Amino acid sequence: MSYTQLRHNWHRARKEHTCVWCGETIHKGNLYDRVVGVYDGDLQDNCFHPECRLACEEYFRNNPHEDSFELYEQERPKYE
């Protein structure tokens, strides 16, 4: 299995999106990261809360043999 990230850009939401990491809504006006890539030949266009994007990066850093995660099934990190 292979993944190639084509780009990622930070945006201010003009409409609601669903975070691919936690499954919660990214509300209009909130900052989010849009990540576009190719996974096993399929184009992916995913949106992440900023904290979920960091949690995803940490997940793959701590699990170098993993190449995917369960969509919408992870816990959204809580930062104080």
Side-chain angles (χ1 to χ4, degrees), residues 20-67:
V20 71
W21 182 257
C22 70
E24 293 182 23
T25 301
I26 299 168
H27 296 285
K28 183 178 177 179
N30 288 356
L31 188 66
Y32 73 98
D33 190 13
R34 171 162 259 147
V35 180
V36 178
V38 178
Y39 181 72
D40 282 346
D42 294 324
L43 184 66
Q44 294 185 336
D45 184 358
N46 296 314
C47 299
F48 292 85
H49 294 105
E51 62 273 21
C52 292
R53 174 68 177 173
L54 291 174
C56 181
E57 290 174 0
E58 183 177 338
Y59 171 81
F60 285 112
R61 207 173 21 256
N62 293 333
N63 299 286
H65 301 292
E66 292 291 328
D67 61 358

